[in-house]
Amino acid sequence: MTLTPAPEPVVPRPGAGIRPTAIGHRAPESAYGPDADADARPGPDARPGPDTGLGRDPDLGPDAGPAPLLPRAVCEAALTALLLFLIVTAVRWLVGPDPGAAAARPAVLGAVVGTLLALFMVSPPGRCSGGHLNPAVTLALWRLGVFPGREVVPYAVAQLAGSVFGVWCAGLVWGPVTGRPPVRHASVRADPAWGDAAVLAAEAGVLAGSTLMLAVLLASPGGRRVLPYAVGLTTALVIGVLGPLSGGSANPARQFGPALLAGDTGRLWVYVLGPALGAVLGAWLAGRTGLRQPPR
């Protein structure tokens, strides 16, 4: 605790636990304890503590702690629901009314989803929650050391619940056509030539590469500023290239709601497990290659 000189007696100033922040709430108490001396705190070269993740404003200083968990989880659920609603809407209009131009659909859908992700991440709700919208991304950020582990499960539950709700709302708006082939609630399907192992490897590989990209971009303020657009571009490429092959989900929440409502759960475990494994693998590779420092 920092002491302010006074004639007599010496009166302590308020500690970090009651410091106001730039986003309108109190910062969490210092990891070094409320009575930690200022000289004992880490210097500018020390490894940063947990962050709110992807969409956090890089201009906020280290004293601007994350908002309470509940509103951030609600933002994750709402953004994921809106994302899935718009994905089902896009698929409904891409494949529902006109069976032609099938070769262009993955590229168009990829451009739509990538743009939506970038916009959601820079939106106010995205800045509040971090704009993960993907349980595998939340897992990757935890393993990279920039997201608290105790919040991984609440975020994942919020994202999966938002997925189901968004697909359900799309069915209410667009009617039975969303549940019938070829729309099927926008549930992704791999090419018949791709077995479970191939799809699992593709999903894991995409998330491993994405996690390495996150590690690089999160290492600098400049990288954080372009991160939403890098994520959007990467997502567009994954859907455009892998969509006709493995399905190109790379997001358990992307497939969870559509598969449940379409009754297409046979390979759901692949689309959940693959990205999770890739996130862990990518974070491990980032540590081995020096892209992130090991936990202290």
Side-chain angles (χ1 to χ4, degrees):
M1 183 178 294
T2 304
L3 301 181
T4 302
E8 281 294 335
V10 176
V11 180
R13 293 170 59 187
I18 58 173
R19 181 174 54 249
T21 71
I23 52 179
H25 57 80
R26 293 183 175 184
E29 188 175 85
S30 168
Y32 299 89
D35 297 323
D37 189 89
D39 294 335
R41 298 176 186 271
D45 296 329
R47 179 174 175 268
D51 194 281
T52 57
L54 295 174
R56 186 176 191 270
D57 191 340
D59 294 327
L60 293 178
D63 290 344
L69 173 60
L70 181 58
R72 287 187 286 118
V74 169
C75 287
E76 281 292 300
L79 287 174
T80 307
L82 182 57
L83 176 66
L84 266 295
F85 175 86
L86 294 174
I87 287 175
V88 175
T89 299
V91 172
R92 181 258 182 273
W93 289 107
L94 279 172
V95 307
D98 182 5
R105 292 172 192 158
V108 174
L109 184 61
V112 169
V113 176
T115 301
L116 289 173
L117 277 177
L119 292 175
F120 287 174
M121 288 172 67
V122 300
S123 69
R127 289 187 177 276
C128 173
S129 70
H132 302 182
L133 309 181
N134 184 339
V137 168
T138 301
L139 180 63
L141 293 171
W142 168 48
R143 298 308 302 160
L144 289 173
V146 296
F147 189 77
R150 65 182 178 277
E151 296 182 0
V152 171
V153 171
Y155 259 51
V157 170
Q159 293 152 355
L160 296 177
S163 171
V164 174
F165 184 70
V167 176
W168 179 74
C169 288
L172 288 181
V173 172
W174 301 116
V177 67
T178 61
R180 295 195 295 260
V183 181
R184 296 183 59 85
H185 297 292
S187 177
V188 302
R189 288 190 170 188
D191 185 276
W194 282 58
D196 289 350
V199 175
L200 185 72
E203 293 285 299
V206 167
L207 256 295
S210 298
T211 302
L212 290 171
M213 179 189 72
L214 292 178
V216 172
L217 294 180
L218 287 170
S220 68
R224 293 187 181 214
R225 290 187 178 91
V226 303
L227 197 151
Y229 313 105
V231 170
L233 178 60
T234 300
T235 301
L237 291 175
V238 167
I239 295 174
V241 174
L242 289 180
L245 303 175
S246 68
S249 172
N251 179 350
R254 162 64 181 91
Q255 178 69 343
F256 187 74
L260 283 185
L261 272 70
D264 190 16
T265 58
R267 273 189 171 175
L268 180 57
W269 68 272
V270 175
Y271 291 104
V272 171
L273 181 61
L277 290 176
V280 174
L281 175 62
W284 178 80
L285 290 173
R288 296 287 294 179
T289 56
L291 295 178
R292 75 170 175 88
Q293 293 176 314
R296 294 181 180 179

